[in-house]
Amino acid sequence: MLTLQKKTQGPLTKQVLLIVLDGVGYTKQGFEDGNAVAKANMPVLKELWNSHPTVLLKAHGTAVGMPSDDDMGNSEVGHNVLGSGRVFDQGAKLVSESINNGSLFRGETWKKIISNAKNNQSTLHLIGLFSDGNVHSHIDHLKALIDGAIKEMAKKIRLHILLDGRDVPEKSALEYLLPFESYLESLRQNGTDILIASGGGRMELTMDRYDADWSMIERGWKHHVEGEGRGFPNTKTAIETFRTENPSVIDQYLPGFVIVDNKQNPVGKILDGDSVVFFNFRGDRAIEISRAFTEENLPLLKRNLFPKVEFAGMMQYDGDLFIPKQYLVSPPAIDRTMGEYLANEGIAQYALSETQKYGHVTFFWNGNKSGYFNETLETYEEVKSDVIPFDQKPEMKAKEITDNLVQALQSHKFPFLRVNYANGDMVGHTGNMDATVKGLEYLDKCLERIKKICDETNTVMCITADHGNADEMYQLDKKGKAQISKEGIPVPKTSHTLNPVQFVLYDPNQKISLKKGNGVEGLANVAATVLDLLGFEAPEGYFPSLIQR
């Protein structure tokens, strides 16, 4: 049983609140163009940053387990690190390594996927996010799977591509598609029957998460599996047609499409005996589509066909629920999380967010594990997210979250509380600057309420973020100035950033301070900081506390 050692000085406080302002990063001076955080009127948060102990934390690249410091962080790896106090190699790096050393192609699951297609003379289908964003997937991983399948003499391959425009520039789909089509043509000339069969924007079909909108899975199923949808002769025509019909639509919201032959028949329906690989490595938006292929009884999903296929994910997306049972690369084994230690010490915990980030303060926080460590000590609360574009209601569910949090603080039942506010990330991803500013300003009003309750309950409040997003709403040049489109407006940026995040500690008694930052601190230091406040030594291997003792 995992246990903690108590500090001889005892706890610094009886109640600790950690607020994660998802997607609220820090931009250095001179890079204010497109910075919704700087533009927003947030007197409470900015006063906290300016007047209370604050340090910068790295939230991207190797500091959160990504392959290099050119890779942005994301909410999943960020919460993994926040909850575990350490850095683990994450999905992108694990997949790249398994491809480079050949272990993916030597694995039993890959052999089963390929032999099924060969023995049945059937089709290998590859489904996933089509970009090099390296948050959910990478186009190089897709190419590696294709090349590996061809080496294994796979004869027929169909691709079902989900357009990004979120982790990469918002209208960049053709920049990925055109060179990729040249690559596919070279394969066809060498005798491989390979085609793109279907696709659409990632926020329109297939990549729903947390059971928020199963209609997205239904639309994906109809397009990828049943071949039902608007037909086009090729993907380029589909994208150009949608953009002509609606010039404002960005890639992540492009409608679904099906590629058809000259007789208007779908070129790549998924049939009995086929093999299917979902090549995203990140778990949250891969679980529901994996269930669709592997569970016949799904009341939330209407399907006209349920083909019996050999299915595998790039990784196992839920290790507790074994979703999916077959996968190509093993996920990181994250153990000894702060949540488990506190549960074993009898410390009650409270976790809260709306649907879009609920899994982040539970599943990802606990090391990619579903459920509780001790259900009698842990309270998890989910506020149902609205199923609308988030820039239409930029306040999202911040009010309801705050209402629940205030009650939890006033109850004095929970020495440790954690909450995620999704506005900076989810509204930031829309590319809508004005809406993002409104969302942040609404958050500040919520923080004003929370700060008052912290004063009343003598709660130490820590505020940080899991990565940047709202801090760069425009594509910037090397001088920090917004890139201007042909229409004379700034080019929106819908992806995360490489910026650090701020960690501020608010002590109502103004007695607790932070160590002076030296530039190497990251999200991994937060877990030990919380444990320190509660009077515990950080476990072996944890990054050190930020508290000045």
Side-chain angles (χ1 to χ4, degrees):
M1 179 173 169
L2 300 177
T3 58
L4 294 168
Q5 180 178 344
K6 293 184 179 179
K7 286 183 175 290
T8 57
Q9 308 97 315
L12 295 174
T13 183
K14 292 183 178 180
Q15 190 160 266
V16 179
L17 167 64
L18 176 65
I19 298 176
V20 179
L21 300 180
D22 212 294
V24 178
Y26 171 82
T27 298
K28 63 184 178 181
Q29 189 172 1
F31 283 72
E32 286 84 8
D33 276 9
N35 187 346
V37 180
K39 184 176 180 180
N41 179 25
M42 295 191 292
V44 176
L45 182 58
K46 291 178 180 179
E47 191 274 335
L48 287 169
W49 284 337
N50 292 329
S51 303
H52 294 268
T54 303
V55 296
L56 292 178
L57 303 179
K58 293 181 179 179
H60 79 287
T62 56
V64 292
M66 302 301 283
S68 77
D69 285 338
D70 291 329
D71 295 307
M72 67 188 79
N74 63 65
S75 298
E76 288 64 46
V77 301
H79 285 77
N80 279 164
V81 174
L82 285 167
S84 69
R86 289 154 293 153
V87 178
F88 293 82
D89 286 347
Q90 291 289 342
K93 189 172 183 178
L94 292 174
V95 173
S96 295
E97 288 177 348
S98 70
I99 288 171
N100 293 336
N101 64 29
S103 60
L104 185 155
F105 304 110
R106 294 191 297 269
E108 290 301 315
T109 299
W110 175 256
K111 293 177 181 178
K112 193 174 182 180
I113 288 289
I114 295 299
S115 62
N116 176 73
K118 290 167 63 176
N119 294 340
N120 289 313
Q121 297 184 2
S122 60
T123 304
L124 169 63
H125 299 267
L126 303 175
I127 309 173
L129 187 63
F130 186 69
S131 79
D132 59 1
N134 218 31
V135 173
H136 291 267
S137 68
H138 199 293
I139 197 169
D140 288 349
H141 297 164
L142 171 59
K143 288 183 176 180
L145 295 182
I146 293 170
D147 293 343
I150 292 172
K151 287 180 181 178
E152 297 279 355
M153 305 301 292
K155 297 298 183 183
K156 186 176 181 180
I157 302 173
R158 291 295 181 263
L159 312 175
H160 306 268
I161 62 172
L162 303 168
L163 306 178
D164 195 343
R166 186 178 178 98
D167 300 324
V168 296
E170 61 177 15
K171 290 187 177 181
S172 58
L174 291 177
E175 297 173 23
Y176 294 101
L177 176 69
L178 297 180
F180 189 79
E181 283 285 16
S182 297
Y183 159 73
L184 295 183
E185 181 58 32
S186 69
L187 299 179
R188 287 191 285 267
Q189 291 178 1
N190 288 324
T192 300
D193 181 2
I194 183 168
L195 294 168
I196 295 174
S198 70
R202 57 181 281 181
M203 295 301 288
E204 282 294 309
L205 64 165
T206 309
M207 280 179 59
D208 184 44
R209 64 179 176 188
Y210 308 146
D211 298 325
D213 184 8
W214 273 85
S215 70
M216 286 176 61
I217 306 300
E218 183 175 330
R219 289 191 292 273
W221 189 266
K222 287 185 179 297
H223 286 77
H224 309 322
V225 178
E226 299 174 2
E228 293 185 8
R230 187 171 174 183
F232 294 90
N234 55 65
T235 306
K236 179 174 180 289
T237 301
I239 294 171
E240 291 177 339
T241 300
F242 290 138
R243 287 184 178 171
T244 298
E245 292 175 350
N246 184 359
S248 65
V249 70
I250 59 179
D251 293 344
Q252 59 181 316
Y253 293 109
L254 284 171
F257 57 86
V258 174
I259 305 305
V260 296
D261 60 21
N262 55 14
K263 295 182 179 179
Q264 299 302 300
N265 295 316
V267 301
K269 293 170 66 174
I270 299 178
L271 307 172
D272 281 341
D274 285 352
S275 291
V276 179
V277 173
F278 193 71
F279 62 82
N280 285 17
F281 49 75
R282 178 169 139 181
D284 59 339
R285 294 190 182 275
I287 290 174
E288 290 173 39
I289 190 63
S290 295
R291 293 184 64 196
F293 277 105
T294 56
E295 298 179 30
E296 190 165 3
N297 182 23
L298 276 177
L300 293 173
L301 178 61
K302 181 181 178 181
R303 293 167 291 188
N304 296 318
L305 301 172
F306 183 67
K308 293 179 173 58
V309 301
E310 201 70 64
F311 178 83
M314 180 64 88
M315 306 186 77
Q316 187 166 63
Y317 305 122
D318 188 324
D320 281 353
L321 300 178
F322 307 108
I323 301 172
K325 289 184 171 60
Q326 297 189 134
Y327 49 96
L328 302 179
V329 180
S330 296
I334 300 176
D335 61 352
R336 300 193 300 118
T337 62
M338 177 173 61
E340 184 175 6
Y341 275 113
L342 290 177
N344 289 342
E345 293 292 339
I347 303 297
Q349 302 171 68
Y350 178 79
L352 168 68
S353 188
E354 64 177 276
T355 304
Q356 286 296 326
K357 299 294 180 177
Y358 173 71
H360 297 74
V361 294
T362 55
F363 176 82
F364 291 107
W365 185 277
N366 290 331
N368 303 335
K369 294 179 178 64
S370 298
Y372 301 85
F373 294 113
N374 186 327
E375 193 166 357
T376 63
L377 290 170
E378 296 171 275
T379 299
Y380 298 165
E381 287 200 27
E382 174 188 1
V383 177
K384 289 292 184 182
S385 293
D386 293 318
V387 185
I388 58 173
F390 298 110
D391 55 348
Q392 291 184 14
K393 188 183 176 185
E395 65 271 24
M396 299 183 65
K397 291 298 182 178
K399 179 187 182 300
E400 292 83 350
I401 291 172
T402 305
D403 291 341
N404 288 358
L405 180 59
V406 166
Q407 290 183 20
L409 288 166
Q410 291 174 331
S411 75
H412 291 280
K413 293 179 180 179
F414 308 102
F416 177 52
L417 307 92
R418 57 186 183 265
V419 60
N420 181 299
Y421 285 97
N423 309 63
D425 190 45
M426 301 310 296
V427 186
H429 277 309
T430 68
N432 187 326
M433 177 70 158
D434 291 341
T436 304
V437 168
K438 289 179 181 178
L440 293 173
E441 291 178 346
Y442 192 85
L443 274 184
D444 200 65
K445 293 181 173 63
C446 295
L447 291 176
E448 183 177 22
R449 287 181 61 196
I450 296 168
K451 181 172 176 286
K452 180 181 178 181
I453 299 300
C454 287
D455 289 336
E456 295 175 0
T457 59
N458 199 26
T459 299
V460 171
M461 176 174 64
C462 301
I463 304 175
T464 190
D466 50 350
H467 55 76
N469 185 335
D471 42 297
E472 280 184 21
M473 297 295 296
Y474 301 152
Q475 298 286 346
L476 304 179
D477 60 24
K478 292 182 179 180
K479 295 181 179 180
K481 300 303 178 185
Q483 298 178 15
I484 305 301
S485 69
K486 294 179 181 179
E487 293 77 21
I489 59 175
V491 178
K493 179 175 181 175
T494 55
S495 67
H496 297 167
T497 72
L498 301 179
N499 293 326
V501 301
Q502 299 188 79
F503 178 94
V504 57
L505 185 145
Y506 175 70
D507 174 16
N509 300 311
Q510 299 189 25
K511 293 181 179 180
I512 305 172
S513 59
L514 300 177
K515 299 173 184 175
K516 185 177 181 181
N518 58 18
V520 299
E521 294 81 11
L523 296 181
N525 295 92
V526 172
T529 303
V530 171
L531 293 174
D532 196 353
L533 290 167
L534 293 172
F536 295 103
E537 296 280 357
E540 181 181 358
Y542 271 46
F543 281 43
S545 168
L546 300 169
I547 301 299
Q548 180 68 56
R549 281 273 189 171

